[in-house]
Amino acid sequence: MLRFHKHYHEKPASELGRKLSVYNNYKNKIKVWNTFVDSQLPEITEDDFSIIPRVLPDSYMSTIEQSAFLVTKFALKLLSLPESEIRAIVPVGPIRDHLLDELKVVKYRHKRITGSFRFDMAIVGPPKKGNSPLLLEINEIGFDGLARSTFFQKTFLDLMPDLKRRFRSLDTAAAEVENMGRLGRRIARMQYDSYNWDEQYLLKTAKELNLDLRLICPSQFRLPVDQSEYPFLERELISYKGERAWVGKDWPADAINMSFAYSLKDYQDEHPFYSRLVRSQTPQYGPFLTGLVAAKTVLILLDDPVLRRRFLGSSKKLENSILSAHQLSSATAAECLEDPHDWVLKHTDGCGGEQVYMNRALEKQLLKIQKNRRHEWVLQRKTDLNLIDINGILSKPKKAIADLGVFVQYDWAKGDFLKFKVGGLMARATNKSLKVNVSGGGSQVAVLLDRAT
C-alpha cells in the first residue's frame, strides 16, 4: 500500500457526504454484490468495484466537455490531413508504420469518420470550473468501460432511491449505440472467440434501442466458438459483394466495429482480413485510422503549440489540459531525465497499463532501451491524481488515487463535427501503485454528477 501525501482529496459536500455514508457499509456491499450476481452478466464480480461513487459537481461537466471536445477536434483534424502531412507529423513507430505502409489506412480512408474515444484523464485539485482535467492518454479501439459505466450507475441509483433525483448520470451504453446507429441499423462487432460482460450489456442496450448489433467471430480467424459459454457469439464468414461486407450469406453490415485493442502482432496475424476490410466500402465504427492518434506519441503533438494553433485556432487552447511530453530520443528528453522521478516513461504502442514506467522502474527500463529504439518511447510529465474514498466489493475502505475515463462519441466529415458528445464518465482507483489499472489491483468506480453543485 502506498501513501499519497501531495494529492488533493476529493470529498462530496458535507451534507451529501453524510447521506452517502449511510450506504458505505457491509450491508450495502452485500446488496451491490447480489445485484451484480442477479444480473447474470458473466464474471461481473471478478474485478473490484467501489460501493460508493465518485461524485463530481454537475457544474464541472462543462469544463470536462470543453477539454474532451478540443482533444477530439485536434485528433480528427490531424487524421483529415493529406497522407504526406500525416507522415511528416506523426512520429514513426511500429503500429503507426504498419497502419500507413501495410494497411494503408489513409489511402483508403472514408470521407466520414465515426466512432468513439476514451480519454484517460486526471483531475488535479478541486473539480471546479476552469480547472481542466489533464489528458493522460487516448484510447480508440477495444477500450473497456462503455457499457459497464451505465450498469454501475444504474445499480447505485436503484439502491439509493432517496438520492436518485440528486444525481445526474450519463448513459454511456445508449450514447454508443445511438452513435453507431448514425451509420445504419446493422452493426457487426468483430470478436475473437469470446466476449465480456461489458459487451453483453452493450448488446442488451442495442436491442432495447432497436439497433441490430451482432457479436461475430469471423470464420477467417479459425477459432472455435463455445456456444454454451458464449451464446450471443456467432461464428460467420465475412465476405464482400460489390465492395460491401456481408456477414454470412444474407446479412449486409452497415458498419463493422472491432471489439479489441490491437498489438502489432494482432494486425500482422490477420493482415489479409484487415486489409480487405480497410479497402471495402463498408465503414468501420472506430476505424483503424484512429490508431494513428492512439499512439502515445500523440501526446507530444498535443503539447506542440504550433499544431494547436493550426488545428484549434489558438496555441492557448488545450494548454491547461496537456502535460509536457517529449520523444525519448530528443535532446529535451535528456534534460528531463536529470530528474527522472518527475516523469512517466511510456512505449508509444503500449496499452492496458503495460510498458508504463515510473521512478526506479523507469530508470531500470532506460538501461534496456536500445538507442535505435528510443524514438518509440515517450516521456510525459508526472502529475498527482486526486485522492478519493472507495470501498470495494473485494477490498476494504481506503483512500486511493483515481483517473477519470471520459467517453466521447463523434461523427466527423468535411473537416467538422456532424455530432460530438461526451457520453459517459467512469473512474479507476488504486492505492497499490502509481498506475490506475484494474488488472493491476485497482478498483472500478462509478461517477455521478451532483445537480446541487
Short mmCIF file of all heavy atoms in Angstrom, two decimals, residues 8 61 92 170 188 202 371 382 400 417:
data_model
loop_
_atom_site.label_atom_id
_atom_site.label_comp_id
_atom_site.label_asym_id
_atom_site.label_seq_id
_atom_site.Cartn_x
_atom_site.Cartn_y
_atom_site.Cartn_z
N TYR A 8 -4.57 16.03 -3.83
CA TYR A 8 -5.80 16.65 -3.36
C TYR A 8 -6.84 15.57 -3.09
O TYR A 8 -7.04 14.65 -3.90
CB TYR A 8 -6.32 17.64 -4.41
CG TYR A 8 -7.62 18.30 -4.04
CD1 TYR A 8 -7.64 19.42 -3.22
CD2 TYR A 8 -8.84 17.80 -4.50
CE1 TYR A 8 -8.84 20.03 -2.87
CE2 TYR A 8 -10.04 18.40 -4.15
CZ TYR A 8 -10.04 19.51 -3.33
OH TYR A 8 -11.23 20.10 -2.99
N MET A 61 -19.01 19.69 -15.33
CA MET A 61 -19.15 18.93 -16.57
C MET A 61 -18.78 19.76 -17.79
O MET A 61 -18.20 19.24 -18.75
CB MET A 61 -20.59 18.41 -16.69
CG MET A 61 -20.78 17.38 -17.78
SD MET A 61 -19.76 15.92 -17.55
CE MET A 61 -19.80 15.24 -19.21
N VAL A 92 7.32 8.16 -36.24
CA VAL A 92 7.35 6.76 -36.62
C VAL A 92 7.26 5.87 -35.39
O VAL A 92 7.65 6.25 -34.29
CB VAL A 92 8.63 6.42 -37.42
CG1 VAL A 92 8.68 7.21 -38.72
CG2 VAL A 92 9.88 6.69 -36.58
N LEU A 170 -24.69 9.74 -16.84
CA LEU A 170 -24.60 9.69 -18.30
C LEU A 170 -24.73 8.24 -18.75
O LEU A 170 -23.99 7.38 -18.27
CB LEU A 170 -23.26 10.27 -18.78
CG LEU A 170 -22.94 11.70 -18.32
CD1 LEU A 170 -21.59 12.14 -18.88
CD2 LEU A 170 -24.03 12.67 -18.74
N ALA A 188 -21.95 -5.00 -37.19
CA ALA A 188 -21.25 -6.24 -36.84
C ALA A 188 -20.05 -5.90 -35.97
O ALA A 188 -19.16 -5.15 -36.40
CB ALA A 188 -20.80 -6.96 -38.11
N LEU A 202 -23.80 -4.11 -23.59
CA LEU A 202 -23.93 -3.25 -24.77
C LEU A 202 -24.91 -3.86 -25.76
O LEU A 202 -25.74 -3.16 -26.36
CB LEU A 202 -22.57 -3.05 -25.43
CG LEU A 202 -22.53 -2.10 -26.63
CD1 LEU A 202 -22.80 -0.67 -26.20
CD2 LEU A 202 -21.18 -2.19 -27.35
N LYS A 371 19.45 2.26 -28.38
CA LYS A 371 19.50 3.64 -28.88
C LYS A 371 18.62 3.82 -30.11
O LYS A 371 17.95 4.85 -30.27
CB LYS A 371 20.94 4.02 -29.18
CG LYS A 371 21.12 5.49 -29.52
CD LYS A 371 22.59 5.85 -29.67
CE LYS A 371 22.75 7.34 -29.95
NZ LYS A 371 24.19 7.70 -30.10
N LYS A 382 4.89 13.69 -14.92
CA LYS A 382 4.06 13.04 -13.92
C LYS A 382 3.17 14.09 -13.25
O LYS A 382 3.56 15.25 -13.10
CB LYS A 382 4.96 12.36 -12.88
CG LYS A 382 4.21 11.46 -11.89
CD LYS A 382 5.12 11.03 -10.76
CE LYS A 382 6.28 10.18 -11.24
NZ LYS A 382 7.14 9.74 -10.11
N ALA A 400 -7.67 6.34 -2.31
CA ALA A 400 -6.94 5.86 -3.48
C ALA A 400 -6.88 6.96 -4.53
O ALA A 400 -7.78 7.79 -4.64
CB ALA A 400 -7.63 4.62 -4.05
N PHE A 417 -17.44 18.54 -37.15
CA PHE A 417 -18.29 17.56 -36.49
C PHE A 417 -19.69 17.57 -37.08
O PHE A 417 -20.31 18.62 -37.23
CB PHE A 417 -18.40 17.88 -34.99
CG PHE A 417 -17.16 17.58 -34.21
CD1 PHE A 417 -16.35 18.61 -33.77
CD2 PHE A 417 -16.81 16.27 -33.90
CE1 PHE A 417 -15.20 18.34 -33.03
CE2 PHE A 417 -15.66 15.99 -33.18
CZ PHE A 417 -14.86 17.02 -32.74
#
